Amino acid sequence: MDYLITEELPSFSQFARLHEDSGLLKNKKGNYTREQLYEAAKNSWYSISIYNDQKLIAFGRMISDGVYQSLICDVMVHPDEQGNGLGKQVIEKLIYKCKESGIQSIQLFSAKGKHPFYKKLGFAEREHDAPGMSLLL
């Protein structure tokens, strides 16, 4: 199948629809509007969008300092398209952008139950004595 892969941010409506269809919207911590989530995506360092027949079917983004740290956020694939390698393509493009920029440290937060997917792509869980931490306000 021929997919269109672009670094351009999708339209608000396409982004909001995929956020909801993929289930990522209900996994968000905090009460954010769709508009706020789109604004966050607009403020990303880099993003990838994949379309099938002008419909957004996969998306991923990163925030970064552009030098040595990056954080992968909001990787989502439409449920009807899962299993077709699109998530892998998104991650590979994000990793390539880091390599191209000389960034050697890539972090990510995985949606519940998705960590085996990321392990297959080379990501490792943090060591037990060096856990990641978060603060929700």
Side-chain angles (χ1 to χ4, degrees), residues 1 6 11 14 17-18 23 36-37 39 47 52 60 73 85 88 92 105 109 115-116 118 128:
M1 190 167 286
T6 180
S11 69
Q14 291 239 21
R17 171 61 37 205
L18 183 58
Q36 288 171 314
L37 295 173
E39 185 67 26
S47 66
N52 182 8
C73 309
K88 180 180 178 186
E92 287 173 345
S105 180
F109 293 112
H115 69 279
Y118 293 106
H128 291 290

Side-chain angles (χ1 to χ4, degrees), residues 12-129:
F12 169 76
S13 61
Q14 291 239 21
F15 178 83
R17 171 61 37 205
L18 183 58
H19 228 280
E20 190 165 321
D21 289 346
S22 69
L24 192 59
L25 184 61
K26 59 184 166 189
N27 286 328
K28 290 283 184 216
K29 293 185 173 34
N31 296 312
Y32 298 100
T33 66
R34 287 173 175 81
E35 290 79 12
Q36 288 171 314
L37 295 173
Y38 189 67
E39 185 67 26
K42 288 192 324 189
N43 290 330
S44 297
W45 178 65
Y46 183 71
S47 66
I48 285 292
S49 300
I50 302 178
Y51 295 86
N52 182 8
D53 196 26
Q54 300 181 358
K55 178 184 176 187
L56 181 68
I57 57 172
F59 177 83
R61 69 184 185 97
M62 288 189 302
I63 55 178
S64 178
D65 57 25
V67 178
Y68 79 100
Q69 288 281 356
S70 66
L71 172 67
I72 294 176
C73 309
D74 298 337
V75 174
M76 45 190 165
V77 177
H78 192 281
D80 293 344
E81 300 288 345
Q82 291 179 4
N84 294 333
L86 297 174
K88 180 180 178 186
Q89 282 187 35
V90 167
I91 295 297
E92 287 173 345
K93 299 255 184 233
L94 297 175
I95 291 171
Y96 180 79
K97 177 65 174 178
C98 288
K99 287 180 180 177
E100 185 179 72
S101 301
I103 295 172
Q104 299 175 27
S105 180
I106 304 172
Q107 309 298 316
L108 70 82
F109 293 112
S110 169
K112 190 178 280 189
K114 298 294 183 183
H115 69 279
F117 166 76
Y118 293 106
K119 277 187 168 184
K120 286 192 290 187
L121 297 175
F123 287 85
E125 293 181 39
R126 291 182 59 102
E127 297 174 11
H128 291 290
D129 62 349

